[in-house]
Amino acid sequence: MRLTHLSATGPNVPGSTVEFGAGLTVIHGASDTGKTYIAQAIDFVLGASKLKQVREADGCTHLLLGVALTEDLSITLVRRTPNSPGRDQIAVYPGRHLTVPVGQAEFYLSPKHNARNTTNISRYLLEQIGLDGKFVRQNARNDIRLLSFRDLAGLCIIHETEMQSEMPPALSGQYVKATTEKSVFKLMVDGRDDSDLRGQQVSPDEPKISRGKVELVDQLIGELRQRVDGSQYSRELEIQHERVVGAIAQLSESVEAAVHERDALLQRRDEAQARVNADRSRLAEIGELLARFTLLREQYESDLDRLDMVQEVGDLLGYFDRWVCVFCGAAVEDQHPPTGHVISEMGVAPWE
């Protein structure tokens, strides 16, 4: 099973699609260009409960995730965005689709994992990869639970912060999930689950001890709250807290304004760069035309010089050859030099 594409569509916005390759896909780019949103959108279609909305996604009502189950069988998972009205279900359509198909889906799945039925996206995807019904270890007492696709999502969708973290890729860093995450990683490596484990017997007195611990913690919290409430610095701390909150709000507004200004400057820079590129292209074209016209002018000048030379040679030959006069057309027998015939026909005064 592999992902083929992710599309975001809406009734009043142009659709956007990201295509995925057959192997590992790495989405890279500058800051605030949508890399995190793409990863979160994939996770959301695969069953995550939250999706942070971004301004560029305003108007998008559906997310479509293409999944190739085999080389010849593909499906498209469709889920409404959090701000889109309607029942929160994941529709399954056969084939590849970049927009929401017309008509009913083949079937609908719940986005929330449920170990008691299979009509949810988690059980459906686990069934497609042959891991449905597997168990993983939960804690040191060897308690086990049914594997969820959410346990595998962290191994399939890696965010930028996780790439930079020193934590091993199989662990999220949350202490309470470490046992389960190690069990899931072991299942992915050697294919063996923890269904053969049996939880330790719980002592009858353990619930009482747990309640006693809770009561002790509540008592300590109450005493600390009383000390804080009765402190002479309580009002001063509240005032400082209000100031800090106000400062954070002002700084947040300043940051947001700076981000908008930066976006506007980036847009102006891109427009200026586009104009510069267009001018450079036009300048190159004009340079080529000027070079061609220069070459053509040189050719014309060479031809004109050649014609002038031919004309001068003809004039000279007209002076020395006894033939039909080149000026008036008189035959040889009608020419009587030196009568000034040639000179007068040339239009040159005798004294020049």
Side-chain angles (χ1 to χ4, degrees):
M1 184 179 73
R2 67 178 181 88
L3 306 182
T4 59
H5 71 277
L6 173 69
S7 299
T9 64
N12 300 317
V13 295
S16 299
T17 299
V18 178
E19 299 285 348
F20 304 132
L24 175 67
T25 298
V26 178
I27 300 175
H28 61 89
S31 299
D32 297 331
T33 54
K35 303 186 300 297
T36 302
Y37 182 79
I38 292 175
Q40 292 178 349
I42 296 173
D43 201 18
F44 182 72
V45 179
L46 294 178
S49 58
K50 297 180 180 179
L51 174 63
K52 183 179 179 181
Q53 193 67 12
V54 296
R55 181 181 56 191
E56 290 77 7
D58 291 343
C60 294
T61 58
H62 293 81
L63 295 172
L64 296 85
L65 183 64
V67 181
L69 301 179
T70 63
E71 292 296 331
D72 301 324
L73 179 60
S74 298
I75 61 172
T76 301
L77 305 177
V78 181
R79 186 177 183 183
R80 292 179 178 271
T81 56
N83 60 345
S84 177
R87 189 173 181 181
D88 188 16
Q89 287 184 323
I90 301 175
V92 180
Y93 292 89
R96 172 187 169 92
H97 303 279
L98 301 182
T99 58
V100 180
V102 179
Q104 292 292 325
E106 186 174 3
F107 53 89
Y108 294 87
L109 299 170
S110 171
K112 188 175 181 180
H113 173 77
N114 190 336
R116 298 181 179 179
N117 64 67
T118 59
T119 59
N120 55 78
I121 187 65
S122 176
R123 299 290 299 277
Y124 174 75
L125 294 176
L126 289 175
E127 182 182 359
Q128 301 305 316
I129 59 178
L131 293 179
D132 190 27
K134 300 293 184 179
F135 287 85
V136 291
R137 183 185 178 195
Q138 282 187 282
N139 48 44
R141 296 195 304 267
N142 290 336
D143 293 335
I144 60 176
R145 65 167 174 80
L146 194 65
L147 178 69
S148 169
F149 191 80
R150 304 309 310 156
D151 298 324
L152 305 180
L155 300 176
C156 305
I157 307 171
I158 311 299
H159 294 266
E160 180 181 6
T161 55
E162 297 172 353
M163 296 180 184
Q164 301 173 353
S165 175
E166 297 181 358
M167 188 68 59
L171 301 178
S172 64
Q174 301 183 28
Y175 176 77
V176 295
K177 295 183 178 180
T179 302
T180 302
E181 290 170 345
K182 293 178 182 178
S183 178
V184 172
F185 187 68
K186 178 177 68 68
L187 171 63
M188 298 301 296
V189 171
D190 59 18
R192 295 182 300 171
D193 67 347
D194 294 323
S195 57
D196 56 342
L197 294 180
R198 294 293 180 268
Q200 297 178 356
Q201 295 295 327
V202 179
S203 172
D205 296 331
E206 186 170 346
K208 297 179 181 179
I209 296 175
S210 299
R211 285 196 299 269
K213 292 179 180 179
V214 172
E215 292 175 358
L216 177 59
V217 172
D218 290 340
Q219 181 180 354
L220 293 174
I221 293 175
E223 292 177 356
L224 291 174
R225 183 176 287 113
Q226 290 178 0
R227 291 174 59 184
V228 172
D229 293 341
S231 175
Q232 58 179 345
Y233 303 106
S234 177
R235 179 55 185 165
E236 183 178 346
L237 291 175
E238 291 179 358
I239 295 175
Q240 292 181 2
H241 179 264
E242 292 176 357
R243 291 176 180 175
V244 171
V245 171
I248 292 175
Q250 292 179 358
L251 291 175
S252 299
E253 293 178 357
S254 300
V255 170
E256 185 175 357
V259 170
H260 289 314
E261 184 179 359
R262 183 204 63 182
D263 293 341
L265 291 174
L266 288 176
Q267 183 177 1
R268 290 176 56 187
R269 183 199 66 180
D270 295 339
E271 294 174 353
Q273 186 64 42
R275 291 195 298 270
V276 169
N277 294 336
D279 292 341
R280 288 177 176 174
S281 177
R282 180 57 179 165
L283 182 61
E285 294 177 359
I286 293 175
E288 293 179 359
L289 290 176
L290 287 176
R292 293 179 181 179
F293 284 133
T294 300
L295 181 62
L296 184 61
R297 184 183 62 186
E298 293 176 353
Q299 185 68 36
Y300 283 164
E301 291 176 351
S302 176
D303 292 342
L304 291 174
D305 292 340
R306 187 180 297 108
L307 291 175
D308 291 340
M309 181 187 67
V310 172
Q311 182 179 2
E312 291 179 1
V313 171
D315 292 340
L316 293 174
L317 292 176
Y319 283 112
F320 297 105
D321 293 341
R322 295 296 302 274
W323 200 249
V324 177
C325 181
V326 295
F327 299 103
C328 64
V332 176
E333 60 272 15
D334 296 327
Q335 299 178 16
H336 305 286
T339 60
H341 171 74
V342 175
I343 296 176
S344 62
E345 289 297 333
M346 292 177 61
V348 181
W351 56 85
E352 291 183 349

